[in-house]
Amino acid sequence: MTPLLSDRVRESAAFLQERGVGQPVAAVLLGSGLSGAIGLDDGLSIPYAEIPGFPDGNVAGHDHRLEFGQVKGRAVLVLRGRVHYYEGASLAEVTFPIRVIRSLEPRWMAILNAAGGINPDYGVGDIVFLSDHINWMGDNALVGPNDDSLGPRFPDMSNAYDAELRRRAESVAEDASIRTHRGVYAAVAGPTYETPAEIRMLRLAGADLVGMSTVPEVIVAVHGGSKVLGMSVVTDLAVTEELEPLSHGMVLGAAEKAAPRAGAILEGLVEGEEE
Ligand code: HPA
């Protein structure tokens, strides 16, 4: 008999605990080019390849390490790099680390990504807090048997992104004079970037941003009852009239430039938590 998902989550969490990972105040998933956003003091670092059940992808610009350490004296867990759907992993595999992190009971999770800005008010390098999402991947991380001990069969998504956490993040950004927006993120499967017609369609559908990640992880985090902050860095303008040929290198470069500002917001949020 195949083991229940919750058993595999427990096995993976037990492995991490044996290696010294404790309960974090916050957990942060860093995406493409954002690896440098946050550094940990007194940290331990474990490659995904060593953690039971974790997928191990291989895209340039993505580290694949779980780290646990201190930020401003608070315990923080960082997933440095994600595996994407377009690499061929199932969405259940892509989101398994989120299940494991959830079981360590952080107060909240921040899920970051690099995204194309569809909203014409956005500029490259801007930070956008997600208010909602559109799952345009053609798949859902919760397809398949539901393990009721992890969450309900039909989870509510009416408040996927925690409003209070977002307000706190906005206030940290404002205090640091960092320009931010609120927006709706549309997730596509990739790996192709959008055609002009696809961008027009996404804009009409109400999307402010487009990317190839985040939504599966958010769905699984919310399924498990986590408070989620979604945060995008705009790496290119997916605006039809100005669409220029886009490369992964351009996306990474823009994300790397914005990473310190994303990191400052995360650090400010963590600092606001009681120890
Ligand atoms: N489209 C899809 N994914 C992306 C983009 C984009 O323009 N930029 C960064 N990730």
Side-chain angles (χ1 to χ4, degrees):
M1 214 174 82
T2 39
L4 281 176
L5 179 56
S6 49
D7 290 337
R8 293 194 288 121
V9 168
R10 251 194 306 277
E11 182 200 345
S12 189
F15 169 88
L16 293 176
Q17 282 159 341
E18 259 164 46
R19 295 281 292 261
V21 176
Q23 181 182 7
V25 164
V28 179
L29 168 55
L30 298 174
S32 310
L34 295 169
S35 221
I38 198 164
L40 300 177
D41 302 325
D42 304 324
L44 56 91
S45 172
I46 310 172
Y48 290 173
E50 291 178 18
I51 308 173
F54 269 45
D56 189 28
N58 194 11
V59 176
H62 300 287
D63 283 334
H64 285 100
R65 285 176 288 128
L66 180 150
E67 295 178 5
F68 181 75
Q70 307 274 316
V71 172
K72 311 274 182 196
R74 280 87 166 154
V76 171
L77 187 149
V78 174
L79 291 173
R80 217 176 276 284
R82 58 156 61 83
V83 173
H84 293 81
Y85 186 51
Y86 58 71
E87 292 175 72
S90 73
L91 286 181
E93 289 163 339
V94 164
T95 55
F96 184 76
I98 298 292
R99 295 273 182 214
V100 176
I101 298 325
R102 169 71 193 132
S103 78
L104 299 172
E105 301 184 342
R107 293 178 204 165
W108 45 266
M109 281 189 208
I111 301 184
L112 278 72
N113 62 66
I118 295 179
N119 186 320
D121 293 342
Y122 296 175
V124 170
D126 284 359
I127 285 173
V128 185
F129 296 117
L130 305 193
S131 56
D132 205 345
H133 71 226
I134 298 172
N135 182 10
W136 215 300
M137 281 187 148
D139 198 353
N140 190 301
L142 301 181
V143 167
N146 190 60
D147 186 333
D148 295 338
S149 69
L150 297 175
R153 171 73 287 190
F154 299 107
D156 176 55
M157 287 286 146
S158 57
N159 286 297
Y161 300 86
D162 189 77
E164 204 250 332
L165 191 55
R166 182 171 57 240
R167 270 195 295 274
R168 277 172 47 206
E170 285 170 341
S171 133
V172 169
E174 201 180 323
D175 290 349
S177 304
I178 296 171
R179 172 181 157 105
T180 67
H181 310 271
R182 273 187 198 181
V184 174
Y185 176 96
V188 295
T192 45
Y193 291 119
E194 291 65 46
T195 64
E198 285 165 345
I199 290 168
R200 276 194 297 275
M201 173 196 74
L202 291 167
R203 179 84 192 125
L204 278 173
D208 296 300
L209 298 151
V210 58
M212 304 173 193
S213 67
T214 300
V215 166
E217 290 114 337
V218 170
I219 286 175
V220 163
V222 172
H223 180 243
S226 286
K227 275 192 195 174
V228 174
L229 177 74
M231 197 165 149
S232 292
V233 170
V234 177
T235 54
D236 53 279
L237 299 182
V239 177
T240 314
E241 304 77 50
E242 298 166 30
L243 199 60
E244 288 172 12
L246 179 62
S247 71
H248 189 53
M250 287 156 72
V251 168
L252 290 184
E256 277 161 17
K257 259 172 83 177
R261 273 176 289 124
I265 294 172
L266 292 170
E267 283 179 14
L269 266 180
V270 169
E271 198 172 12
E273 292 286 342
E274 280 175 35
E275 282 175 62

